[in-house]
Amino acid sequence: MDLEVENGGIEADRVRVWGKSLPVPSVQEMVRNDSESVPERYIQENDNRPLNSALCSELSEIPVIDFSLLVNGNEDELNKLDFACIEWGFFQEVLRDMKAAVAEFFSLSLDEKKKYSMPENDLQGYGQAYVVSKEQKLDWGDLIFLMTSPLEARNMKYWPNSVPGFKEAVDEYSREVERVSEEIMANMSFFMGMDKNGLKRLHVVMKQSMRMNYYPPCSRPDLVLGVSSHSDGGSITILLQDDDITGLQIKHKGGWLPVKPIPNALVVNIGDAVEAWSNGIYKSIEHRAVTNSNKARMSVATFVQADEGIEIGPVESMMQDRPRMYKNVKYLDYIKHVLGRKMDGKAHTNFLKLESE
């Protein structure tokens, strides 16, 4: 590989213009030193606390898509995918994992993890994201965020070389997730009245990044959130969860619906860019992560994003039987808007919408 790419070159540094996050203490280390206390800054406002938020009254199951059948054009699976995108914004499918590499990183000492710390003027590295003020409530978790594709966007100084096999595990997982995301978007393109490469063309360059999360146990899980409620600013997000710990919740019909893990499966959700391209037919879904008092939980969120130089807005085929609901905006402007504020449900998506919507 070219030396500039391996070490993080010009393209790798461009991600810094997207946004930044203030440094905060490691929650994992805080719990290690004192497992009973919950500092005030992590205690959510009353309405945002897990036990004070209404759970979804329905017992509906989130659609499960069999990827092997989807690739072969099975009509039932295609219909399930279309329903999942319209009704839920979330679905699950089987794929391989990279959990061991993530677990190994978070088992390192704090001093070792700090070698890959996220500086104030960058989004990549170890720390916590969306911290834009010293007064805001903090999430109960740590993370490491990496740009993974294209290769020239990587900044290898944030990739933990002290974890044997980490790079290889991420490389392999990145390739598999790319294959899945391309197949999903090819089918979604048909639903949106385009040929199979429609969404891929809209991206110009399909970029990929990963957020690897560690949520320590909390003595008062009723007071904190692992990740505050939000929707994702990209096209689609592919989430790898722990097999036996339910932490993800999605907003559905006014309540919060826990997403029970399926072993060796992925959860895929629609992002804000697809909501804009589809003129609001496919909604990005508000979601959050909760904690528990017994066991740490890990997850890996892989974000598929368009090139920051494009504009996003409704495609013609999604305005045939529906008035235009979203405006055209520069994608870089939108990403800066999302990353420059704390997570706050779907409030940031108003930036995409026409004033009359």
Side-chain angles (χ1 to χ4, degrees), residues 234-291:
S235 307
I236 61 173
T237 302
I238 299 178
L239 179 71
L240 178 64
Q241 301 192 86
D242 264 323
D243 286 344
D244 56 353
I245 305 173
T246 300
L248 174 66
Q249 296 182 342
I250 67 170
K251 197 74 171 285
H252 185 62
K253 297 186 177 180
W256 288 102
L257 180 70
V259 180
K260 296 180 180 179
I262 296 177
N264 300 314
L266 297 174
V267 177
V268 184
N269 76 279
I270 303 299
D272 300 334
V274 168
E275 178 173 327
W277 279 325
S278 72
N279 199 26
I281 298 295
Y282 294 166
K283 297 286 190 184
S284 61
I285 299 299
E286 187 176 343
H287 55 285
R288 68 183 187 181
V290 298
T291 65

Side-chain angles (χ1 to χ4, degrees), residues 16-304:
R16 296 182 183 181
V17 305
W18 288 5
K20 60 184 180 180
S21 184
L22 300 178
V24 294
S26 163
V27 181
Q28 182 181 13
E29 196 67 17
M30 187 169 63
V31 172
R32 183 176 291 158
N33 294 329
D34 181 0
S35 63
E36 296 301 319
S37 299
V38 179
E40 179 65 27
R41 199 173 171 195
Y42 294 86
I43 298 175
Q44 295 290 320
E45 301 298 340
N46 192 62
D47 289 345
N48 294 333
R49 296 176 188 176
L51 292 186
N52 291 340
S53 305
L55 293 179
C56 183
S57 60
E58 291 189 355
L59 297 177
S60 306
E61 291 294 329
I62 294 174
V64 178
I65 315 297
D66 188 318
F67 186 68
S68 64
L69 295 177
L70 186 67
V71 170
N72 291 325
N74 182 277
E75 187 172 349
D76 288 341
E77 295 304 302
L78 288 170
N79 289 335
K80 284 164 63 178
L81 176 61
D82 189 33
F83 171 78
C85 293
I86 293 173
E87 179 67 18
W88 291 87
F90 267 76
F91 52 89
Q92 295 185 340
E93 60 182 31
V94 178
L95 223 145
R96 49 198 309 178
D97 66 33
M98 58 172 282
K99 295 175 184 176
V102 177
E104 186 68 21
F105 170 74
F106 285 109
S107 71
L108 296 174
S109 68
L110 179 61
D111 287 342
E112 189 64 30
K113 290 196 288 284
K114 279 186 172 180
K115 292 179 181 179
Y116 312 101
S117 287
M118 181 189 300
E120 286 192 31
N121 66 338
D122 202 343
L123 295 175
Q124 297 194 75
Y126 168 70
Q128 197 176 109
Y130 295 94
V131 182
V132 297
S133 79
K134 294 182 179 180
E135 291 76 37
Q136 76 181 72
K137 296 296 184 180
L138 298 176
D139 291 336
W140 193 263
D142 300 328
L143 65 89
I144 180 169
F145 179 82
L146 302 173
M147 294 295 298
T148 48
S149 182
L151 296 181
E152 59 267 23
R154 295 182 174 186
N155 198 330
M156 300 308 294
K157 68 182 180 182
Y158 298 116
W159 289 56
N161 55 25
S162 51
V163 177
F166 182 91
K167 179 180 179 297
E168 292 75 14
V170 173
D171 278 342
E172 184 176 11
Y173 184 71
S174 174
R175 287 191 296 269
E176 290 297 319
V177 169
E178 183 176 5
R179 181 176 68 90
V180 171
S181 60
E182 287 188 352
E183 184 66 33
I184 290 169
M185 285 199 283
N187 286 283
M188 287 173 59
S189 295
F190 284 125
F191 304 148
M192 293 172 63
M194 300 180 286
D195 63 70
K196 70 176 183 179
N197 293 316
L199 277 173
K200 191 172 184 179
R201 283 196 303 272
L202 289 174
H203 282 73
V204 179
V205 177
M206 285 179 60
K207 298 193 171 185
Q208 184 194 88
S209 56
M210 292 187 190
R211 171 177 164 149
M212 306 167 197
N213 304 295
Y214 181 91
Y215 307 110
C218 180
S219 62
R220 291 295 306 274
D222 57 313
L223 299 180
V224 306
L225 288 172
V227 173
S228 298
S229 65
H230 67 286
S231 62
D232 297 327
S235 307
I236 61 173
T237 302
I238 299 178
L239 179 71
L240 178 64
Q241 301 192 86
D242 264 323
D243 286 344
D244 56 353
I245 305 173
T246 300
L248 174 66
Q249 296 182 342
I250 67 170
K251 197 74 171 285
H252 185 62
K253 297 186 177 180
W256 288 102
L257 180 70
V259 180
K260 296 180 180 179
I262 296 177
N264 300 314
L266 297 174
V267 177
V268 184
N269 76 279
I270 303 299
D272 300 334
V274 168
E275 178 173 327
W277 279 325
S278 72
N279 199 26
I281 298 295
Y282 294 166
K283 297 286 190 184
S284 61
I285 299 299
E286 187 176 343
H287 55 285
R288 68 183 187 181
V290 298
T291 65
N292 71 87
S293 59
N294 300 316
K295 189 176 181 180
R297 173 178 171 266
M298 284 175 280
S299 68
V300 180
T302 303
F303 307 100
V304 179

